[in-house]
Amino acid sequence: MNMLTEKIKVAIVEDDLDLQEVMKEFLESSGFDTFCFNDSEQFFAQASFNQYDAFLVDRKLPGRSGLEVVRALKAKRISGPIIMVTGQSEPNEVVEGLEAGADDYITKPFHYQVLAIKIRNLVERFRALSTMREPLRLINGERLQLLENSLELKSGDERVRFTRTEFQIFCPLFLKLGLFVKRESLFEGDSLQKSRSLDVHVAAIRKKIRPFGLDLETLRGVGYRLVEPDSQAEINFMN
């Protein structure tokens, strides 16, 4: 994925001042601009939300928690991705953060280079979504396109046809490549029937898209994201 040419502005909301300083120094040495806040109260009092391209939010903040910060940012309809920083020994924090509206997560301790790549990739995807005018993606150098009239995924001379329901489920996942989409936003209907039907449709979609170098990653009870199989090891949610 191409690196962004302009500096990415990252808001860091972290009460561990040592960790905050290390993140700040590494990200700035990697070409980012950083804006640090020691807790949620300082963040809400001083931050200019629309000036940031991405947000790093610690799950366990004094006062208003990281979950509350995420919910407030989503309510403000900010345009950048939110990455929740969680404890490695608390897998439930991942689920809670994503349910609150975080777009991704990283667990402590983490490699700072991985963090920098994650931020760049998410910001690039968000910017692409904001300017995209047609359902088109470039995967492993191949041009993939969704064709609404024929309910097909196309790459060169290769095509696969979806049922209308499969297409309706796959389309938001395709448009938000690499980002989680909640289960409840993918399918309408009675809750129990919806859950069972969605699982069946997702299984069918997986079989159809794998020849195109794509797969669906599941976070149980939360949702799915469309990924390139080679990238799953790096971003496996349940390690």
Side-chain angles (χ1 to χ4, degrees), residues 22-206:
V22 174
M23 286 195 290
K24 172 183 172 66
E25 290 181 0
F26 183 86
L27 290 176
E28 289 185 350
S29 70
S30 301
F32 295 83
D33 280 338
T34 62
F35 304 81
C36 295
F37 305 91
N38 299 341
D39 54 41
S40 54
E41 300 307 321
Q42 184 187 33
F43 176 64
F44 286 117
Q46 299 179 10
S48 299
F49 303 107
N50 291 330
Q51 82 176 70
Y52 309 121
D53 300 304
F55 300 82
L56 284 176
V57 181
D58 188 73
R59 167 65 176 80
K60 293 181 177 179
L61 292 170
R64 298 175 69 179
S65 71
L67 295 179
E68 292 179 86
V69 172
V70 170
R71 293 188 186 105
L73 287 172
K74 285 299 183 181
K76 292 179 182 294
R77 299 185 180 275
I78 52 97
S79 58
I82 304 169
I83 300 173
M84 179 73 76
V85 182
T86 71
Q88 190 174 33
S89 61
E90 300 293 340
N92 288 339
E93 291 183 2
V94 175
V95 175
E96 291 172 347
L98 292 170
E99 288 180 335
D103 299 291
D104 208 337
Y105 85 104
I106 193 163
T107 56
K108 306 174 189 176
F110 49 80
H111 293 288
Y112 294 100
Q113 188 173 3
V114 171
L115 175 63
I117 292 171
K118 189 183 289 283
I119 294 171
R120 287 190 187 276
N121 287 349
L122 283 169
V123 170
E124 190 170 78
R125 286 167 183 163
F126 266 66
R127 289 181 176 176
L129 281 172
S130 68
T131 59
M132 188 172 57
R133 296 183 179 179
E134 60 178 344
L136 186 68
R137 282 287 181 263
L138 197 66
I139 307 294
N140 295 327
E142 297 293 329
R143 178 186 172 103
L144 273 71
Q145 188 170 12
L146 271 181
L147 306 175
E148 185 174 4
N149 289 339
S150 58
L151 305 179
E152 291 178 317
L153 177 65
K154 176 179 180 292
S155 176
D157 294 330
E158 299 295 324
R159 295 173 181 245
V160 65
R161 192 173 191 278
F162 298 107
T163 67
R164 182 160 296 279
T165 299
E166 289 169 355
F167 188 88
Q168 290 172 345
I169 293 169
F170 182 70
C171 190
L173 293 162
F174 186 78
L175 295 177
K176 296 185 177 182
L177 175 68
L179 302 176
F180 267 100
V181 179
K182 291 183 178 180
R183 288 177 62 93
E184 58 265 28
S185 69
L186 291 173
F187 199 50
E188 296 180 356
D190 172 77
S191 57
L192 178 60
Q193 184 63 36
K194 174 178 69 174
S195 179
R196 291 173 176 171
S197 297
L198 182 58
D199 291 340
V200 172
H201 290 303
V202 165
I205 291 169
R206 276 198 176 102

